[in-house]
Amino acid sequence: MTSNRIAEPGATPRRWGTLGRRGAVPLLALALAATPVMPAGAQSEVTSTASTQDDVRTIIPTGVRDEFAEGHARGYNAPCMGELQMLHNVRFTAPKWSSHRELAWSQDGSMLALTPEDDQGGTSSLIIVALADCSWRDLGTPDLAGLSWSPDGTEIATGNRVISATDGTHIRDLGYTGRDPAWHPDGDRIAYRGPEGIHVVAADGSTPPPGDLLIPWGSNPAWSPDGTRIAYSIGGRAAHAAADGTDQVVFDDTLWLPDRVTWSPEGERLLVRAEVFNFREYDKVFYDACVTLTLDGQVDPTKVSESECRDAAWRPAHEPDPTPEMTLVYLYRKVDPDAPPSWHNSDRQDLRHIELGHTWSPDLDPEAFLGFGVCGPGWAVQMDQVVRLVRHRVPLNIPFSYRDHAGQFRWSNTLGWGTVVQAARHHSLEYLIDVPDC
């Protein structure tokens, strides 16, 4: 494609009409809370006016997870990721990861580590995703046994060893026999699951094994963000205690066989993954559920996943995410194949390419647009030059669903409140790439 292809004859810019509801959404899902992370303003066609309404809460689109990361049998719902695909180095490519094993946030919330399975069910490598640009790197390092980041984000503890978070190289052994390490926010010690419960050792590997026994018969430890408490599972139930093991609070049998506990950023709630969730309020029993609880065991019904949740983690407190200039390219089927491409002639739009910076000549990969029945005439793309949109919050499709402040699911056909579309253009797909005949 050459740079002089600026406008196709008959192409018209987007008009923000209503596309309508595209399908039902389950009542109980791992919801995205509206979070005050981006000022809100009206989305417009061509404007550079910045909103001053900084106190207006931003609606975060589902399919572009922000404050949660969730793994399930079909893949991931997490920042930079959707079902079976990942936004790779700002281009839309799809490493074929079929299901989830484990995930963990860096303590500053800027990176996500995950250990997916490949198509054959074997363990894949350790993958590190940087949310600033959705780039990722493969660290290799098979035979992982839990994941926990050092506070400075340079190292990861897994099993009884520490590896580099940059390239996966082995740094040191911790000496014990156990798994599921949890690095304390102060950086000086690591809790882990040993043969008799939760032990604590020095993070530099200097403690003679097995270290100090903190929680007899406990497992799956997780330190609170301020390091004053530790959550864990014991006797088939979720629990938390003071950092020295005293003041234990064990939840009732609402959750059974929890194998993953993480903290909310403010340290006042827990996100628990359990084999069984007995949701008495709705008279239902869920299996492989991820549930949010207060520290006294009260269930938050707006943050419950019933969709074969394999693992989930709350994003830690973090600095504001950058909002780079981007050009977004969405693919859609025209409602009327014989009419020019336009917003009014657009069916559902699916994201196929992201380029940092504003351009009308993005470097498109044909493989990202073809396949899944994309052939012949009748297909078109919309290019949006946007600002004030966080890279990992780019909606994977339009319209997208979200949960409003009242906990109800809604649909939106914008790019999310706060985004400014400085310019937009439509083109027939065959104008940009060679489209095969059907």
Side-chain angles (χ1 to χ4, degrees):
M1 190 176 85
T2 60
S3 58
N4 63 343
R5 290 189 175 179
I6 296 179
E8 178 184 7
T12 57
R14 168 175 290 181
R15 299 293 184 267
W16 293 108
T18 300
L19 294 186
R21 190 180 179 94
R22 299 290 175 172
V25 179
L27 172 65
L28 298 174
L30 187 61
L32 294 175
T35 53
V37 292
M38 185 190 303
Q43 187 156 347
S44 60
E45 272 299 315
V46 182
T47 177
S48 59
T49 302
S51 170
T52 59
Q53 301 178 14
D54 293 340
D55 58 336
V56 180
R57 301 172 75 190
T58 300
I59 298 297
I60 305 300
T62 59
V64 192
R65 301 295 187 187
D66 186 70
E67 300 309 309
F68 296 95
E70 179 189 17
H72 50 79
R74 300 177 305 280
Y76 292 87
N77 280 317
C80 300
M81 286 170 282
E83 299 296 319
L84 295 178
Q85 56 206 8
M86 183 181 215
L87 299 180
H88 173 201
N89 294 333
V90 307
R91 292 181 182 163
F92 195 87
T93 60
K96 299 301 182 182
W97 298 333
S98 61
S99 63
H100 156 77
R101 280 185 177 267
E102 191 168 14
L103 50 81
W105 288 101
S106 62
Q107 294 193 27
D108 66 356
S110 67
M111 293 179 285
L112 181 64
L114 53 147
T115 57
E117 294 177 348
D118 58 26
D119 285 335
Q120 287 73 43
T123 302
S124 182
S125 300
L126 173 59
I127 305 298
I128 306 297
V129 182
L131 268 63
D133 60 2
C134 286
S135 62
W136 61 276
R137 59 184 183 270
D138 186 338
L139 302 191
T141 65
D143 301 324
L144 299 169
L147 296 172
S148 183
W149 292 75
S150 63
D152 63 7
T154 63
E155 299 177 342
I156 294 176
T158 177
N160 58 2
R161 69 189 192 277
V162 174
I163 62 175
S164 167
T166 301
D167 57 17
T169 57
H170 180 275
I171 297 177
R172 63 184 175 276
D173 290 318
L174 296 172
Y176 56 74
T177 300
R179 60 162 297 137
D180 298 328
W183 214 308
H184 193 277
D186 290 344
D188 59 344
R189 57 195 185 274
I190 291 175
Y192 74 95
R193 184 185 78 186
E196 297 179 352
I198 296 174
H199 296 254
V200 177
V201 297
D204 61 7
S206 62
T207 303
D212 298 326
L213 181 62
L214 181 66
I215 308 290
W217 312 117
S219 60
N220 307 305
W223 296 105
S224 63
D226 62 4
T228 61
R229 297 193 69 81
I230 187 169
Y232 54 94
S233 57
I234 187 170
R237 299 183 183 183
H240 59 91
D244 61 0
T246 62
D247 188 27
Q248 294 191 31
V249 177
V250 181
F251 296 150
D252 62 21
D253 60 357
T254 297
L255 294 167
W256 189 243
L257 298 177
D259 58 9
R260 170 73 159 162
V261 184
T262 62
W263 291 81
S264 64
E266 80 285 351
E268 297 178 356
R269 290 168 290 173
L270 295 172
L271 180 59
V272 182
R273 190 273 180 190
E275 295 289 336
V276 181
F277 170 44
N278 186 0
F279 204 173
R280 297 186 179 91
E281 181 178 350
Y282 287 83
D283 193 26
K284 291 185 177 180
V285 176
F286 299 138
Y287 298 93
D288 295 331
C290 292
V291 182
T292 299
L293 305 170
T294 61
L295 295 187
D296 60 0
Q298 298 299 308
V299 175
D300 182 350
T302 67
K303 295 182 177 66
V304 176
S305 172
E306 54 177 302
S307 57
E308 299 180 355
C309 183
R310 300 286 186 85
D311 197 5
W314 220 314
R315 189 181 181 191
H318 53 86
E319 295 295 325
D321 291 308
T323 57
E325 292 186 351
M326 293 180 288
T327 301
L328 314 181
V329 184
Y330 286 86
L331 173 70
Y332 64 89
R333 185 190 292 272
K334 292 190 291 184
V335 177
D336 181 353
D338 299 323
S342 69
W343 174 246
H344 289 301
N345 196 25
S346 168
D347 203 339
R348 165 179 150 149
Q349 297 193 357
D350 296 310
L351 182 67
R352 285 294 180 267
H353 181 84
I354 297 178
E355 189 145 324
L356 294 180
H358 289 166
T359 178
W360 295 124
S361 301
D363 183 15
L364 301 181
D365 178 5
E367 292 185 1
F369 290 82
L370 303 178
F372 301 103
V374 178
C375 60
W379 294 91
V381 299
Q382 172 158 326
M383 298 184 188
D384 292 324
Q385 294 182 356
V386 301
V387 295
R388 297 178 62 218
L389 177 61
V390 172
R391 169 65 185 85
H392 66 258
R393 293 196 197 115
V394 176
L396 301 182
N397 51 68
I398 297 176
F400 62 80
S401 63
Y402 66 92
R403 192 184 289 269
D404 65 16
H405 301 299
Q408 299 298 312
F409 273 102
R410 306 290 184 187
W411 288 86
S412 174
N413 56 16
T414 71
L415 293 173
W417 295 111
T419 304
V420 174
V421 179
Q422 292 188 330
R425 289 182 177 174
H426 289 253
H427 296 288
S428 297
L429 182 60
E430 59 264 28
Y431 177 76
L432 301 174
I433 63 175
D434 293 331
V435 181
D437 296 331
C438 294

